Amino acid sequence: MNCTQALKKLQDGTLDACLSALYGAALPAARPRYQNAVRAFADLYGAEREILLLSVPGRSELSGNHTDHNRGLAIAAAISADIIAVVSKNTGTCVRLKSEGFAGDEVDLSAYTAPIPEKFASSEALIAGVAQGFLRAGFAAGGFDAYTTSDVPKGSGLSSSAAFEIMVAHIQNVLYNERRVDSVQLAKIAKYAENEFFGKPCGLLDQLATVTGGIIAIDFADAEDPVIEKLDFDMNAAGFELCIVNTGGNHADLTPDYAAVPAEMHAVAKELGATVLREASEEALIARLAELREKLGDRALLRALHFFEENKRVLCQKTALREGDLDAFFAHVIASGRSSFQYLQNVYSPAHPQQQGLSLALFVAEQFVKTHGGAFRVHGGGFAGTIQLFCPAARCDELKARMDGIFGEGACTVLRVRGIGATVIG
């Protein structure tokens, strides 16, 4: 279909079934969003171009806080906030991609074939990195023109960067590989682009959750071939929405705090004769606490103990979701958050103890959950940023008003767990 035909289908409801599966009751807001994107593409590249409409969700970590880098276990979910793209194949090796609110990128894939340090942390680096990831894995990659728009909040721990990577990979898969590249391989390609071309170390959790959709459990025992298990539990049907509260805070000077977590866990693993904690045992650590605290300090041991206990919680949460036991699942969500605060110690930076927005948000969330039910925990990397709260759907407006009143207008984002990952509309 061309742009004119796409606009007609969006207007007359032809695509409503597809859109409803992604956005549910938010369909009335989704339809004009797609229409505006199609019009923007037409203005940039021409209305008669044959186009596809694509969507890739953001993601939220539900359990397994700071476990993936030591080959642990985690649970994550795709969310209703997403990146959408209007895309058309071209005949060359150039990718032209314009994201709403940003300058357009034009990347010649035949020239940009290796990492360029000067272009680290740029969108064009991700575009080139994804293409090279496809080629080095034995797949095809080529040029396309695209317009994208995103409502995945940046800096909220919802992985806007992973959603962008997966969108570019999804486009290459659809246009040049007949969708033969499976979800795990797409995630690996996106991770390669982020690690090598973007210049940022990351695991696979974010990419796997965005490409797969729904709630998934991930076992990172083999970092190159993680085991993914889809957990078929409908959080929306159970009457709960997933809310993210952004408390603000500056992430710019927190790099040492983030880096210290895996570094300290790896140091404990090394003392236990392992490379990562997954290869060691909690029992061996406990037996040597007196000795190792002198060598490594107490915080490193506490963070390692968090890792072992968090893995146990993930297993319990998998069972709870399989059995439909939401109360048990929520109890472990709260336990995960408490462990992050007490043992992992990533709720505020020790360098800035006066700045404790996450701690305050967690207190407000706990009072809310005591009255109305649900669960809460720190979200993502921690130290600043966001908390996560499962809120009864009927109480979301009340929660949003409360959190926005403390942390600023728009601080609380009400989301749905989305059952569909990267997809083509229609």
Side-chain angles (χ1 to χ4, degrees):
M1 61 182 175
N2 61 28
C3 293
T4 302
Q5 292 165 336
L7 288 171
K8 183 177 184 301
K9 289 183 177 184
L10 288 164
Q11 182 66 37
D12 66 18
T14 301
L15 299 178
D16 278 4
C18 295
L19 296 176
S20 293
L22 300 181
Y23 304 105
L27 170 62
R31 191 185 297 113
R33 188 167 164 239
Y34 278 85
Q35 291 170 328
N36 290 337
V38 171
R39 293 187 185 103
F41 177 95
D43 289 342
L44 285 167
Y45 308 116
E48 295 308 311
R49 295 282 294 276
E50 287 293 307
I51 61 170
L52 293 172
L53 307 179
L54 296 86
S55 166
V56 172
R59 77 96 182 101
S60 179
E61 171 203 288
L62 305 188
S63 193
N65 198 212
H66 278 285
T67 56
D68 59 333
H69 47 63
N70 269 259
R71 299 188 193 169
L73 307 173
I75 297 176
I79 58 170
S80 51
D82 66 348
I83 294 178
I84 65 173
V86 183
V87 61
S88 180
K89 188 176 184 178
N90 65 41
T91 57
T93 60
C94 185
V95 170
R96 295 187 296 171
L97 189 151
K98 174 72 169 69
S99 296
E100 183 181 19
F102 297 89
D105 291 311
E106 188 163 329
V107 181
D108 184 350
L109 302 180
S110 65
Y112 197 161
T113 58
I116 302 173
E118 293 78 13
K119 294 187 177 182
F120 280 177
S122 68
S123 53
E124 60 182 311
L126 290 176
I127 293 167
V130 166
Q132 289 304 308
F134 270 86
L135 295 173
R136 70 194 291 269
F139 299 107
F144 61 84
D145 299 325
Y147 178 85
T148 73
T149 181
S150 174
D151 64 0
V152 182
K154 293 185 181 297
S156 61
L158 298 172
S159 296
S160 58
S161 60
F164 181 83
E165 296 158 16
I166 291 296
M167 175 59 80
V168 175
H170 187 38
I171 291 170
Q172 292 287 5
N173 195 26
V174 171
L175 294 184
Y176 289 97
N177 295 279
E178 299 178 330
R179 311 189 200 191
R180 292 182 293 109
V181 186
D182 65 27
S183 295
V184 173
Q185 187 66 54
L186 284 176
K188 290 179 181 178
I189 289 170
K191 176 181 179 293
Y192 167 80
E194 184 160 349
N195 293 168
E196 302 300 325
F197 280 69
F198 194 74
K200 179 183 176 182
C202 71
L204 272 173
L205 185 148
D206 296 352
Q207 293 86 354
L208 286 171
T210 59
V211 73
T212 305
I215 301 175
I216 59 171
I218 312 168
D219 186 338
F220 292 101
D222 183 345
E224 293 304 312
D225 192 20
V227 177
I228 304 171
E229 180 181 352
K230 196 86 176 271
L231 300 174
D232 292 322
F233 183 86
D234 191 336
M235 194 66 66
N236 309 307
F240 285 86
E241 306 283 14
L242 178 63
C243 298
I244 302 296
V245 181
N246 191 341
T247 67
N250 182 10
H251 292 254
D253 58 352
L254 296 177
T255 299
D257 293 310
Y258 292 124
V261 176
E264 291 180 8
M265 288 186 181
H266 288 145
V268 174
K270 183 177 179 180
E271 290 292 333
L272 297 175
T275 304
V276 292
L277 288 174
R278 184 63 178 272
E279 299 169 351
S281 74
E282 185 176 15
E283 293 72 22
L285 173 56
I286 291 173
R288 297 178 59 190
L289 285 177
E291 168 201 351
L292 293 180
R293 66 185 300 234
E294 297 297 324
K295 290 185 177 181
L296 303 176
D298 294 331
R299 189 177 70 173
L301 304 187
L302 291 168
R303 284 174 164 170
L305 290 167
H306 162 84
F307 171 88
F308 291 119
E309 292 297 312
E310 190 79 338
N311 276 352
K312 294 177 190 176
R313 275 187 286 273
V314 169
L315 293 174
C316 292
Q317 287 173 285
K318 283 172 57 178
T319 299
L321 289 176
R322 284 198 212 100
E323 296 178 353
D325 189 345
L326 194 55
D327 288 340
F329 175 76
F330 282 166
H332 288 296
V333 169
I334 294 172
S336 171
R338 295 204 190 286
S339 181
S340 292
F341 206 149
Q342 291 177 265
Y343 306 123
L344 183 62
Q345 299 180 40
N346 70 329
V347 171
Y348 62 90
S349 170
H352 306 285
Q354 73 281 5
Q355 299 175 17
Q356 295 198 36
L358 291 181
S359 307
L360 181 59
L362 289 169
F363 174 85
V364 176
E366 182 172 16
Q367 302 309 304
F368 190 90
V369 165
K370 282 179 180 178
T371 303
H372 302 299
F376 61 97
R377 67 192 282 272
V378 65
H379 183 246
F383 298 109
T386 59
I387 71 161
Q388 173 189 89
L389 199 152
F390 290 94
C391 179
R395 296 286 182 176
C396 286
D397 289 345
E398 181 180 341
L399 173 69
K400 182 170 175 57
R402 176 70 172 143
M403 291 297 189
D404 284 3
I406 298 170
F407 298 104
E409 189 67 27
C412 181
T413 302
V414 180
L415 303 164
R416 297 170 59 248
V417 173
R418 167 169 151 170
I420 300 171
T423 190
V424 177
I425 308 301

